[in-house]
Amino acid sequence: MSTFNRIHLVVLDSVGIGAAPDANNFVNAGVPDGASDTLGHISKTVGLNVPNMAKVGLGNIPRETPLKTVPAEAQPTGYATKLEEVSLGKDTMTGHWEIMGLNITEPFDTFLDGFPEEILTKIEEFSGRKVIREANKPYSGTAVIDDFGPRQMETGELIIYTSADPVLQIAAHEDVIPVEELYKICEYARSITLERPALLGRIIARPYVGEPGNFTRTANRHDYALSPFGPTVLNKLADAGIPTYGVGKINDIFNGSGITNDMGHNKSNMHGVDTLLKTMQLPEFTKGLSFTNLVDFDAMYGHRRNAQGYRDCLEDFDKRMPEILENMKEDDLLLITADHGNDPTYTGTDHTREYIPLLAYSPAFKGNGVLPVGHFADISATIAENFGVEKAMIGQSFLDKLV
């Protein structure tokens, strides 16, 4: 067994690797998720060339049908497997919270038919602005401002929409509804969605700028999340004085709980990799956990059912892997995984209930191979054992298998 001074956990948001055993209990546009397979279908339909992840062992992960264009390695450089979700959900927060050791037994509320009048009316009364009812449904964030941005510029109405996730999003043109006003409205929306029948994971402020036909969302996005309902391994680390670095929306997903160093939002996946590299190079980061979320796979390509874009996004990340490996110290461990699926070839625009891949690499490894199939929370249990803290609710460490 090896132990590591630093662990770098990278979540490739939505990069599932095949339907979970209970996938048919989850529905996507009326169709059960049982035939979903994000990586498998991308590989089969548009091809996938990810030699650096393949070298670690991506093609060695047990599957009924091998990844068509990702070969198994006779001697991978690391360890690989797939992990199953225990929690009752297939959204970002549920996936990340379980990765950090929680079991979500009651899923958050979603509103695939739009939010009830009671919520919209309360927001109108608080804000003094009307809500555009036609936007009140699951919507692409860019499409909704293309469709209703011109009207908002004329009327000052609020664009409130949702997605397949348990989120309420408010889009506002910064020249029409100032960012600080938008934030106050979102804070109020957060205050009225803290319990059932409207227990939402996040309220998201979505500012944008530009003119009709050329709107652009800005970096002033702000998430108002729930705090985890119990201590995660992030909390265990922080309480023990072990630094945790959140890259991308990690700080938002955990509402800051257990994150000792927020490295900021990502403007893109490539910006997120840049931030991860800067974090790895911090002279004070000699021990602890970096935790990165790269969301473009999900937000830009999964929900938009763009298989070619999703493939290109995966290949772009793979090309950056050598830089990540070059910045690892001898006693570092890199874990690459996901939080759910979002099969771009599937029906609807929802997430898909899938296994997630797990790749593990360290310069210290003497061995390699395939780990037993486990559960999301095994990642946090492994991190906990490595740093000598208690695990959270669930999870079994695989640290002793990393040799």
Side-chain angles (χ1 to χ4, degrees):
M1 179 178 75
S2 302
T3 54
F4 309 94
N5 279 336
R6 306 195 305 178
I7 296 178
H8 309 291
L9 175 58
V10 179
V11 174
L12 310 183
D13 202 304
S14 86
V15 181
I17 194 164
D22 61 357
N24 280 328
N25 296 333
F26 295 80
V27 176
N28 201 332
V31 177
D33 283 349
S36 61
D37 185 358
T38 299
L39 276 173
H41 287 156
I42 290 171
S43 175
K44 181 179 179 180
T45 60
V46 295
L48 182 61
N49 181 28
V50 286
N52 294 301
M53 285 191 280
K55 189 175 181 181
V56 178
L58 182 63
N60 297 63
I61 294 175
R63 290 171 47 85
E64 290 185 8
T65 56
L67 291 173
K68 187 174 180 63
T69 55
V70 182
E73 296 286 326
Q75 290 294 324
T77 59
Y79 294 87
T81 189
K82 61 184 178 182
L83 304 175
E84 181 183 348
E85 191 164 15
V86 172
S87 298
L88 296 179
K90 55 175 180 175
D91 60 89
T92 296
M93 286 182 65
T94 299
H96 281 76
W97 286 11
E98 183 172 325
I99 287 170
M100 281 296 111
L102 299 187
N103 181 7
I104 291 77
T105 57
E106 294 187 22
F108 297 106
D109 295 316
T110 57
F111 293 89
L112 300 184
D113 295 320
F115 298 105
E117 274 296 313
E118 180 183 4
I119 289 178
L120 302 184
T121 300
K122 286 181 177 179
I123 294 174
E124 287 179 333
E125 291 173 350
F126 172 83
S127 66
R129 295 180 179 273
K130 291 294 184 181
V131 172
I132 300 174
R133 294 302 194 275
E134 295 89 335
N136 177 34
K137 59 183 179 180
Y139 230 116
S140 158
T142 52
V144 79
I145 59 175
D146 285 341
D147 290 348
F148 299 105
R151 174 170 165 180
Q152 183 177 69
M153 293 183 73
E154 292 180 3
T155 66
E157 295 171 286
L158 295 172
I159 300 172
I160 294 181
Y161 64 105
T162 187
S163 73
D165 269 1
V167 298
L168 183 152
Q169 306 186 72
I170 306 180
H173 196 293
E174 292 187 0
D175 294 339
V176 177
I177 302 172
V179 170
E180 290 305 318
E181 180 184 350
L182 174 62
Y183 289 169
K184 289 178 182 178
I185 297 170
C186 288
E187 288 170 4
Y188 174 76
R190 173 74 282 175
S191 74
I192 62 172
T193 54
L194 294 171
E195 58 187 26
R196 301 196 190 283
L199 177 61
L200 295 177
R202 286 176 292 161
I203 309 298
I204 307 177
R206 292 284 198 177
Y208 66 97
V209 294
E211 300 297 327
N214 190 31
F215 291 127
T216 304
R217 296 196 291 190
T218 75
N220 289 323
R221 166 183 170 157
H222 191 79
D223 292 42
Y224 300 83
L226 292 174
S227 294
F229 59 78
T232 70
V233 166
L234 290 169
N235 299 113
K236 308 281 188 179
L237 294 174
D239 291 346
I242 298 169
T244 60
Y245 295 82
V247 177
K249 64 179 185 178
I250 294 297
N251 192 67
D252 291 337
I253 291 169
F254 291 90
N255 203 26
S257 183
I259 304 295
T260 64
N261 300 273
D262 177 16
M263 306 306 293
H265 287 162
N266 297 335
K267 298 175 183 177
S268 66
N269 276 3
M270 295 302 96
H271 177 252
V273 173
D274 291 342
T275 304
L276 169 60
L277 294 173
K278 290 177 182 177
T279 302
M280 296 172 74
Q281 294 163 4
L282 291 172
E284 65 270 24
F285 184 17
T286 58
K287 180 180 180 179
L289 172 71
S290 74
F291 192 174
T292 299
N293 174 281
L294 301 177
V295 74
D296 286 359
F297 309 103
D298 187 50
M300 300 294 292
Y301 306 108
H303 287 302
R304 300 180 191 182
R305 294 300 185 251
N306 182 345
Q308 290 184 336
Y310 206 126
R311 174 204 60 199
D312 294 346
C313 197
L314 284 163
E315 293 180 355
D316 286 344
F317 170 76
D318 192 77
K319 291 172 185 174
R320 301 296 302 275
M321 271 192 65
E323 295 174 71
I324 298 173
L325 301 185
E326 288 166 8
N327 280 276
M328 292 180 68
K329 299 179 180 180
E330 183 69 20
D331 52 8
D332 279 9
L333 172 65
L334 173 66
L335 299 174
I336 298 175
T337 190
D339 55 343
H340 50 74
N342 198 344
D343 185 344
T345 72
Y346 215 59
T347 184
T349 59
D350 195 357
H351 296 152
T352 41
R353 177 78 168 187
E354 298 185 44
Y355 286 104
I356 57 172
L358 176 69
L359 301 178
Y361 172 80
S362 173
F365 284 169
K366 301 295 190 292
N368 59 67
V370 177
L371 300 173
V373 175
H375 296 94
F376 285 24
D378 295 353
I379 293 172
S380 64
T382 301
I383 293 169
E385 182 181 5
N386 181 77
F387 289 113
V389 301
E390 291 183 353
K391 71 176 186 179
M393 292 175 62
I394 56 174
Q396 296 296 319
S397 173
F398 51 82
L399 187 66
D400 63 342
K401 296 177 174 61
L402 303 179
V403 295

